Amino acid sequence: MPDPIIRIDNIIKRYGPLTVLDGLSMQVMPGEKLALIGPSGSGKTTILRILMTLETISGGHIEVDGAQLYHMPGNGGLVAADERYLQRMRAKIGMVFQHFNLFPHKCVLDNVTLAPMLTKGMARPVAEKRAMELLDMVGMADKAKSMPAQLSGGQKQRVAIARALALSPKIMLFDEVTSALDPELVEEVLNVMRKLASETDMTMLLVTHEMGFAHDFADRILFFDRGRIVEEGKPDDIFRHPKQERTQVFLRKIIAAGHRV
Ligand SMILES: Nc1ncnc2c1ncn2[C@@H]1O[C@H](COP(=O)(O)OP(=O)(O)OP(=O)(O)O)[C@@H](O)[C@H]1O
Ligand SMILES: [Mg+2]
């Protein structure tokens, strides 16, 4: 058995008096496709943001790809990670959010080449060649010179995926990447993610309300409620035979709301 690529150990996350994650532990294996589901406010986005080091943590440890995420070696033990260390760790992880955050004044191609050129010192011709391959993969090569404002939501989201991939992350995080899209644009984005899942050995964590997609995409489903993993298992087990009452209630509500399972 290989070592987990992500080890979350007893994480505590507070926002002022509110404890959002209270001793959360979980592990993700290299190449694993994981879907995080659960009610609004259960802490799914918080976990992804913590992995992306966009948050601070109130307690616990996280190891990513064999190194501590929020701590670095120092003083004969571990000390809080500094910004340089965090930046290096961050390069292992790519994230795509619900609201596409493309740079509005840069064309599609520049959106994808900017980070590799700035953070990895990649030469422009190399960055552009790689960017065109990625844009081709997400079906956006013909829009390389377009500005974000000229794209549909689904197209923007596909560019955002290409941009995150440009840093060759080992881990990709997707937070409800289709939930701000018009229904007819959802499928084109899901298709790109299906392709990524089947054609790469990247580790992928997905937060979604699309239960049908979670079922097809994931090797394992984690059901969250109030900052805790209530139940986890293979998609068929979670969706067809949920054991916990809270999981059953959640899935019933989702189905009643018209989502396919
Ligand atoms: N910056 C913040 N300041 C204070 N509270 C926050 C902050 N961000 C999140 N929270 C709270 O943390 C809890 C978990 O939020 P989180 O966004 O992780 O939930 P979620 O599972 O992603 O929900 P949703 O499905 O609605 O996206 C919520 O109670 C939320 O109000
Ligand atoms: Mg969320």
Side-chain angles (χ1 to χ4, degrees):
M1 269 284 260
D3 287 335
I5 190 165
I6 301 174
R7 258 188 242 265
I8 295 181
D9 185 22
N10 210 11
I11 286 300
I12 295 169
K13 173 65 191 172
R14 295 191 194 96
Y15 290 110
L18 178 71
T19 301
V20 179
L21 303 176
D22 190 10
L24 177 79
S25 297
M26 59 182 262
Q27 301 192 343
V28 186
M29 299 306 286
E32 199 175 12
K33 317 290 181 248
L34 202 64
L36 281 55
I37 64 169
S40 183
S42 57
K44 307 178 299 290
T45 294
T46 302
I47 293 163
L48 296 197
R49 288 179 54 83
I50 286 175
L51 284 171
M52 205 57 213
T53 66
L54 297 170
E55 298 283 344
T56 55
I57 51 178
S58 320
H61 286 88
I62 302 177
E63 196 184 285
V64 171
D65 197 23
Q68 288 289 317
L69 190 58
Y70 281 89
H71 302 85
M72 60 183 195
N75 289 340
L78 289 176
V79 297
D82 63 21
E83 189 49 38
R84 245 182 74 205
Y85 180 90
L86 284 177
Q87 237 174 41
R88 215 171 48 215
M89 290 300 292
R90 229 172 257 151
K92 296 173 189 275
I93 308 179
M95 182 163 181
V96 184
F97 301 86
Q98 176 175 5
H99 295 287
F100 8 84
N101 41 358
L102 298 178
F103 307 116
H105 304 299
K106 303 267 180 206
C107 72
V108 163
L109 183 64
D110 289 348
N111 261 280
V112 182
T113 56
L114 206 62
M117 287 170 60
L118 286 181
T119 67
K120 288 195 161 173
M122 205 181 270
R124 181 179 293 278
V126 181
E128 289 193 347
K129 181 165 176 292
R130 169 94 179 119
M132 287 310 295
E133 287 166 9
L134 291 169
L135 288 172
D136 189 45
M137 200 264 297
V138 300
M140 290 295 294
D142 58 330
K143 300 279 187 187
K145 291 291 173 192
S146 299
M147 299 302 283
Q150 301 170 303
L151 306 180
S152 73
Q155 291 174 330
K156 284 184 209 169
Q157 218 41 328
R158 286 185 281 146
V159 173
I161 292 172
R163 188 177 62 171
L165 292 171
L167 287 170
S168 306
K170 293 191 170 180
I171 301 167
M172 278 285 280
L173 312 176
F174 299 94
D175 192 0
E176 308 213 27
V177 292
T178 59
S179 57
L181 299 178
D182 292 336
E184 71 271 20
L185 301 179
V186 167
E187 204 52 33
E188 65 187 41
V189 176
L190 295 185
N191 279 338
V192 166
M193 293 167 68
R194 275 190 198 101
K195 195 153 106 185
L196 267 184
S198 66
E199 292 176 9
T200 73
D201 56 5
M202 233 179 313
T203 307
M204 295 167 73
L205 272 66
L206 167 83
V207 170
T208 186
H209 285 112
E210 306 262 345
M211 296 300 139
F213 182 65
H215 180 280
D216 299 343
F217 170 92
D219 304 315
R220 184 158 59 107
I221 308 277
L222 299 184
F223 173 67
F224 276 83
D225 197 10
R226 291 174 231 164
R228 288 174 183 274
I229 299 168
V230 174
E231 186 165 357
E232 66 173 290
K234 290 197 192 317
D236 267 340
D237 295 335
I238 296 290
F239 289 125
R240 313 276 176 225
H241 313 287
K243 292 194 185 67
Q244 301 295 328
E245 198 188 333
R246 268 191 281 172
T247 319
Q248 294 164 1
V249 170
F250 172 76
L251 289 174
R252 270 204 298 273
K253 274 192 198 149
I254 285 268
I255 292 166
H259 291 268
R260 183 175 68 87
V261 175

